[in-house]
Amino acid sequence: MAPTWRGPLPTAMPGRAHWFPRIRRVVEAPILGEALYRINISPPIIGRMMRAHVYADAARVTPAVIRDKHAITRQRNGRFGTAAFVTGGLDPVGSRDAFLALFGDGLPPTLVLRPAGAPRRSGAEMDALVAGGRVTGAAIPGALSPHEEHPDAVAAAIREG
């Protein structure tokens, strides 16, 4: 569902990869890192990010949804995983070709659920995966969290796929 192989910063700014490990180290730093993380995960920032690329329908980003997301970010040591994800530290591969190669021979049938409202660059990676012919694709509504925004449509696509 909405498969991507790169974290948000490498996807948004692929030419600045040399900065990402540095950013991660700053966020992981004891005092400064916690302060920066708190600013970045404030409810207004979470709401803005969700409306920009996580949900396709901004009206679904309610105060309750933002509160729930904010509660998740406040888990003990949460900044470490977040920093690794956002800066590409959890990326399993370094290129589209390497990502597509992961879907080689020997895999069971794979259904890719491609949200119609996915951000342009993430959507292009999903489209390339489906175009490779090794997986089956199905269109669903939503953006990067279609399972939250449109769970019934996701379930229906899985049942039909």
Side-chain angles (χ1 to χ4, degrees):
M1 180 175 359
T4 58
W5 58 271
R6 288 185 300 212
L9 284 180
T11 298
M13 299 181 288
R16 299 204 169 52
H18 62 283
W19 284 103
F20 304 148
R22 295 174 185 157
I23 293 169
R24 185 168 51 252
R25 283 193 300 277
V26 168
V27 174
E28 291 171 347
I31 297 169
L32 177 60
E34 181 64 27
L36 290 172
Y37 181 68
R38 284 180 185 259
I39 292 167
N40 194 48
I41 54 96
S42 67
I45 299 293
I46 290 172
R48 185 173 56 81
M49 286 188 290
M50 290 188 71
R51 285 186 291 278
H53 58 272
V54 178
Y55 279 25
D57 181 359
R60 291 181 181 259
V61 183
T62 64
V65 168
I66 294 170
R67 266 193 313 277
D68 289 346
K69 291 295 180 188
H70 188 253
I72 292 168
T73 67
R74 296 306 307 145
Q75 298 301 310
R76 182 167 155 42
N77 294 322
R79 77 180 193 270
F80 297 102
T82 300
F85 165 68
V86 168
T87 61
L90 301 179
D91 294 354
V93 294
S95 70
R96 176 188 282 177
D97 289 340
F99 174 65
L100 297 178
L102 296 174
F103 294 86
D105 296 334
L107 284 181
T110 303
L111 173 65
V112 171
L113 301 182
R114 200 292 194 195
R120 180 178 51 85
R121 288 185 178 142
S122 297
E125 300 303 329
M126 295 173 215
D127 294 340
L129 177 58
V130 173
R134 296 180 175 172
V135 302
T136 303
I140 56 172
L144 293 179
S145 286
H147 57 289
E148 295 175 7
E149 190 177 8
H150 299 282
D152 293 339
V154 168
I158 291 170
R159 281 192 295 274
E160 294 167 12

